[in-house]
PDB file of all heavy atoms in Angstrom:
ATOM      1  N   LYS A   3     -12.318-118.458  38.499  1.00 79.00           N
ATOM      2  CA  LYS A   3     -11.546-119.506  39.198  1.00 79.00           C
ATOM      3  C   LYS A   3     -12.483-120.242  40.150  1.00 79.00           C
ATOM      4  O   LYS A   3     -13.148-119.634  40.991  1.00 79.00           O
ATOM      5  CB  LYS A   3     -10.404-118.841  40.019  1.00 79.00           C
ATOM      6  CG  LYS A   3      -9.384-119.793  40.558  1.00 79.00           C
ATOM      7  CD  LYS A   3      -8.368-120.191  39.472  1.00 79.00           C
ATOM      8  CE  LYS A   3      -7.223-121.001  40.065  1.00 79.00           C
ATOM      9  NZ  LYS A   3      -6.294-121.428  39.030  1.00 79.00           N
ATOM     10  N   VAL A 116      -6.695-120.143  66.622  1.00 87.00           N
ATOM     11  CA  VAL A 116      -6.989-118.739  66.472  1.00 87.00           C
ATOM     12  C   VAL A 116      -7.710-118.495  65.164  1.00 87.00           C
ATOM     13  O   VAL A 116      -7.661-119.312  64.258  1.00 87.00           O
ATOM     14  CB  VAL A 116      -5.687-117.904  66.496  1.00 87.00           C
ATOM     15  CG1 VAL A 116      -4.937-118.137  67.783  1.00 87.00           C
ATOM     16  CG2 VAL A 116      -4.806-118.198  65.309  1.00 87.00           C
ATOM     17  N   GLY A 128       8.775 -89.175  61.322  1.00 81.00           N
ATOM     18  CA  GLY A 128      10.064 -88.504  61.518  1.00 81.00           C
ATOM     19  C   GLY A 128      10.972 -88.672  60.318  1.00 81.00           C
ATOM     20  O   GLY A 128      10.971 -89.693  59.687  1.00 81.00           O
ATOM     21  N   SER A 199       5.128-106.425  67.795  1.00 94.00           N
ATOM     22  CA  SER A 199       4.170-107.523  68.064  1.00 94.00           C
ATOM     23  C   SER A 199       2.809-106.909  68.489  1.00 94.00           C
ATOM     24  O   SER A 199       2.714-106.102  69.361  1.00 94.00           O
ATOM     25  CB  SER A 199       4.684-108.425  69.177  1.00 94.00           C
ATOM     26  OG  SER A 199       3.692-109.364  69.579  1.00 94.00           O
ATOM     27  N   LEU A 315     -23.906-132.181  31.935  1.00 91.00           N
ATOM     28  CA  LEU A 315     -23.667-131.486  30.691  1.00 91.00           C
ATOM     29  C   LEU A 315     -24.819-131.688  29.688  1.00 91.00           C
ATOM     30  O   LEU A 315     -25.369-130.737  29.116  1.00 91.00           O
ATOM     31  CB  LEU A 315     -22.340-131.878  30.041  1.00 91.00           C
ATOM     32  CG  LEU A 315     -21.874-131.082  28.810  1.00 91.00           C
ATOM     33  CD1 LEU A 315     -20.351-130.921  28.856  1.00 91.00           C
ATOM     34  CD2 LEU A 315     -22.271-131.831  27.566  1.00 91.00           C
ATOM     35  N   GLU A 333     -23.156-150.663  25.430  1.00 90.00           N
ATOM     36  CA  GLU A 333     -23.039-151.705  26.412  1.00 90.00           C
ATOM     37  C   GLU A 333     -23.661-153.018  25.876  1.00 90.00           C
ATOM     38  O   GLU A 333     -23.089-154.088  26.084  1.00 90.00           O
ATOM     39  CB  GLU A 333     -23.821-151.244  27.689  1.00 90.00           C
ATOM     40  CG  GLU A 333     -23.674-152.221  28.839  1.00 90.00           C
ATOM     41  CD  GLU A 333     -22.368-152.053  29.627  1.00 90.00           C
ATOM     42  OE1 GLU A 333     -21.552-151.208  29.239  1.00 90.00           O
ATOM     43  OE2 GLU A 333     -22.178-152.780  30.633  1.00 90.00           O
ATOM     44  N   PRO A 372     -41.965-142.944  54.133  1.00 95.00           N
ATOM     45  CA  PRO A 372     -42.837-143.508  55.200  1.00 95.00           C
ATOM     46  C   PRO A 372     -42.320-144.813  55.783  1.00 95.00           C
ATOM     47  O   PRO A 372     -42.351-145.037  57.032  1.00 95.00           O
ATOM     48  CB  PRO A 372     -44.141-143.702  54.461  1.00 95.00           C
ATOM     49  CG  PRO A 372     -44.121-142.723  53.338  1.00 95.00           C
ATOM     50  CD  PRO A 372     -42.705-142.679  52.881  1.00 95.00           C
ATOM     51  N   PHE A 444     -36.339-145.417  31.367  1.00 94.00           N
ATOM     52  CA  PHE A 444     -36.547-146.834  31.592  1.00 94.00           C
ATOM     53  C   PHE A 444     -37.213-147.518  30.369  1.00 94.00           C
ATOM     54  O   PHE A 444     -36.863-148.660  30.059  1.00 94.00           O
ATOM     55  CB  PHE A 444     -37.398-147.048  32.857  1.00 94.00           C
ATOM     56  CG  PHE A 444     -36.629-146.908  34.130  1.00 94.00           C
ATOM     57  CD1 PHE A 444     -37.099-146.138  35.191  1.00 94.00           C
ATOM     58  CD2 PHE A 444     -35.420-147.567  34.310  1.00 94.00           C
ATOM     59  CE1 PHE A 444     -36.393-145.984  36.324  1.00 94.00           C
ATOM     60  CE2 PHE A 444     -34.678-147.421  35.495  1.00 94.00           C
ATOM     61  CZ  PHE A 444     -35.175-146.612  36.528  1.00 94.00           C
ATOM     62  N   PHE A 455     -32.033-158.916  22.804  1.00 90.00           N
ATOM     63  CA  PHE A 455     -32.278-160.315  23.235  1.00 90.00           C
ATOM     64  C   PHE A 455     -33.762-160.638  23.069  1.00 90.00           C
ATOM     65  O   PHE A 455     -34.510-160.692  24.025  1.00 90.00           O
ATOM     66  CB  PHE A 455     -31.874-160.465  24.701  1.00 90.00           C
ATOM     67  CG  PHE A 455     -30.416-160.262  24.957  1.00 90.00           C
ATOM     68  CD1 PHE A 455     -29.988-159.065  25.575  1.00 90.00           C
ATOM     69  CD2 PHE A 455     -29.447-161.199  24.573  1.00 90.00           C
ATOM     70  CE1 PHE A 455     -28.642-158.861  25.836  1.00 90.00           C
ATOM     71  CE2 PHE A 455     -28.116-160.959  24.822  1.00 90.00           C
ATOM     72  CZ  PHE A 455     -27.723-159.769  25.448  1.00 90.00           C
ATOM     73  N   VAL A 463     -34.984-160.667  30.726  1.00 90.00           N
ATOM     74  CA  VAL A 463     -33.802-159.831  30.734  1.00 90.00           C
ATOM     75  C   VAL A 463     -34.179-158.360  30.683  1.00 90.00           C
ATOM     76  O   VAL A 463     -33.595-157.528  31.365  1.00 90.00           O
ATOM     77  CB  VAL A 463     -32.811-160.165  29.568  1.00 90.00           C
ATOM     78  CG1 VAL A 463     -31.647-159.225  29.542  1.00 90.00           C
ATOM     79  CG2 VAL A 463     -32.342-161.583  29.740  1.00 90.00           C
TER      80      VAL A 463
END
Side-chain angles (χ1 to χ4, degrees):
K3 194 79 171 178
V116 302
S199 172
L315 186 144
E333 185 82 358
F444 281 131
F455 298 104
V463 176

